[in-house]
Amino acid sequence: MSVVRASLLGAVDGAITSFAIVAGANALTSSLSTVLVVGSSSLLADGVSMGVSEYLSSASEKAAEKKTSSRPVVQGALCLGSFVTAGVVPLGAYLASESILAASAVFLLELMALGSARTALSGEALFVGLAQTTLLGAFAGSVALGVGWLSAQFL
């Protein structure tokens, strides 16, 4: 199950982080190239950070429990891969449409898909996983939109 956890952690965080970066950059500038540069660099740097963090936490857990169930490098790679894969979706939606509204809609649909995948992999009730993932992810995204908008008002 730790492989599922690493993959889901990376995917949900990738989607939220990517949307947050796009929302913040969009609030500051309508320059497509700026959003692309900031979004892409953040997506890759944050993805590597998540992968390294997952590797280190998995290696520590494995050492503490003396388990050999799954390799930390595999979990780190899965976290990185799912982060970047899911993070490309909001960034791509914004780049294709140049609209934060379109990116927001795609982001919500992606959260719903991730929530559905979560329930399929965990055996949770569909409504629980779908609602938790979508609502908590949307809350995090709305914080990014709000902070970006407020910051742009004072700059």
Side-chain angles (χ1 to χ4, degrees):
M1 199 57 153
S2 59
V3 171
V4 171
R5 183 188 56 80
S7 297
L8 189 61
L9 172 69
V12 171
D13 194 47
I16 293 169
T17 300
S18 180
F19 179 75
I21 296 298
V22 167
N26 179 73
L28 186 59
T29 179
S30 60
S31 167
L32 186 62
S33 61
T34 300
V35 174
L36 176 61
V37 169
V38 171
S40 298
S41 62
S42 176
L43 178 65
L44 293 176
D46 289 344
V48 170
S49 174
M50 285 292 296
V52 168
S53 297
E54 179 60 38
Y55 167 78
L56 294 173
S57 65
S58 297
S60 296
E61 180 180 47
K62 181 179 174 184
E65 295 178 359
K66 306 278 190 229
K67 290 173 62 177
T68 59
S69 59
S70 67
R71 294 182 176 178
V73 71
V74 171
Q75 288 178 247
L78 285 170
C79 188
L80 165 61
S82 60
F83 183 99
V84 172
T85 300
V88 164
V89 174
L91 179 59
Y94 181 82
L95 296 176
S97 66
E98 296 186 44
S99 165
I100 196 63
L101 185 59
S104 298
V106 169
F107 171 62
L108 286 174
L109 290 173
E110 181 179 31
L111 288 172
M112 293 170 74
L114 290 169
S116 298
R118 173 184 162 193
T119 62
L121 295 170
S122 70
E124 291 177 283
L126 177 62
F127 180 75
V128 172
L130 182 66
Q132 284 180 341
T133 305
T134 304
L135 293 175
L136 292 172
F139 172 73
S142 66
V143 168
L145 276 171
V147 169
W149 182 84
L150 283 173
S151 298
Q153 301 308 306
F154 296 105
L155 292 178

